[in-house]
Amino acid sequence: MIEEQSIVKVGMADLNIIRHSGVIRTLGLGSCVGVTLYDPELKLAGMAHIMLPSSEIAREGQLNIAKYADTALPALMDKLLALGASPSRIVAKMAGGSQMFAFAGSGDTMRIGPRNVESSKLILMELRVPLLAEDTGGNYGRTIELDCSTGILSIRSVLMGVKEM
Amino acid sequence: MDVFKYFKEFKMDVLKEVGNIGAGNAATALSRLLNKPVDMAVPKVQLLPFEEISEKVGGAEQVVIAIFLRVEGDAPGNLFFILSPDAAKSLLKRLAGIHVEEGDFNEMEQSALSEIGNILAGSYLSSLADFTKLSMSPTVPSLAMDMAGAILGYGFLQFGQMGDDALLIDTTFLEGDQEVEGQFFLIPDPESFAKIFQALGVPLEND
């Protein structure tokens, strides 16, 4: 018997959660960072596709909290806690944050990938969530998928194939 | 950000003309290089959610070849010239007589593609600059072969601070038998629209 696997998709500047079984996935991370939070005991997983490091630079009226590292991660954490996750069990994994285009351009937008990674790490530290594994940096895109039943994060890229961690 | 949602049709038409002139000149440049006629679709100007922009080139995971130039000057923005790997191979074969082996493009082939993209994007921009009398200078072109979502995400950063959509001027051109199909995406920074409209004599008030 093949059990149909549920797939939860996370778009750009989006976050979502999955419970019990199935995978949660986001496609084509470039300078964006995908962060997963996971409670192994409850088999409860959340994923955020973060686009920008800090909501301080936001100029939008209605803030999309999933877009910024400093708002997305606390919100994702809250979602997990609301479903009964224990703060002491939650662990994080992270991928993305690459620098897609390599030339000496103007200012900070060129370093947006590394800045997304730095900011996400800082927020995880503030939330006291240990970062178990990361696959960040480089100059290529990644698609990531977290298996909710095992907590294994698989990372697919055009050049490097599939990697699990 | 909402201001873009209320652009009257007239303003959209002005932006279409911007795409038309830019891509028209690029198509002419390509046609000269290939010594063959090159057709162009009517430009589309749309305010689209980030996700949907990737869908336009086959989805966020679709592997594409993109030549990216950051436009600097009076009306900054991001310009992408996007090709499928097959179209890129066909282009290399016709223009440089390079037969690409199976698999990846080598350094020489990438460099040739980057140069072709530079010529096309350069003619797109210079015609735009002439038309608007705005200074628009491209940075050195940068080539990437990767998932569309990862590449285009970079072009959304300026819009990302303001919302979840970007205003895109999209022009496709194809050679007769459609062997070379390329797309230009011009994503002006949100602040640039006022300058473009002003330069073209479009009234600024929010009507």
Side-chain angles (χ1 to χ4, degrees), chain B residues 126-181:
Chain B
S126 63
S127 63
L128 217 60
D130 284 349
F131 176 57
T132 56
K133 306 273 188 296
L134 292 170
S135 98
M136 292 179 167
S137 50
T139 57
V140 179
S142 193
L143 180 95
M145 259 174 276
D146 215 313
M147 302 173 186
I151 288 174
L152 288 170
Y154 199 83
F156 305 150
L157 294 175
Q158 284 80 12
F159 265 97
Q161 297 169 21
M162 300 181 69
D164 297 322
D165 310 281
L167 191 73
L168 171 82
I169 304 173
D170 166 17
T171 324
T172 303
F173 56 69
L174 10 113
E175 204 211 315
D177 51 6
Q178 307 208 354
E179 256 191 273
V180 178
E181 187 172 330

Side-chain angles (χ1 to χ4, degrees), chain A residues 97-133:
Chain A
S98 63
Q99 202 160 347
M100 296 302 294
F101 294 101
F103 56 77
S106 53
D108 274 355
T109 46
M110 295 313 297
R111 280 197 70 251
I112 200 78
R115 282 173 56 215
N116 280 335
V117 174
E118 285 160 22
S119 176
S120 298
K121 282 186 183 166
L122 198 71
I123 305 295
L124 286 176
M125 263 170 65
E126 283 174 17
L127 294 170
R128 296 172 191 277
V129 174
L131 180 63
L132 291 191

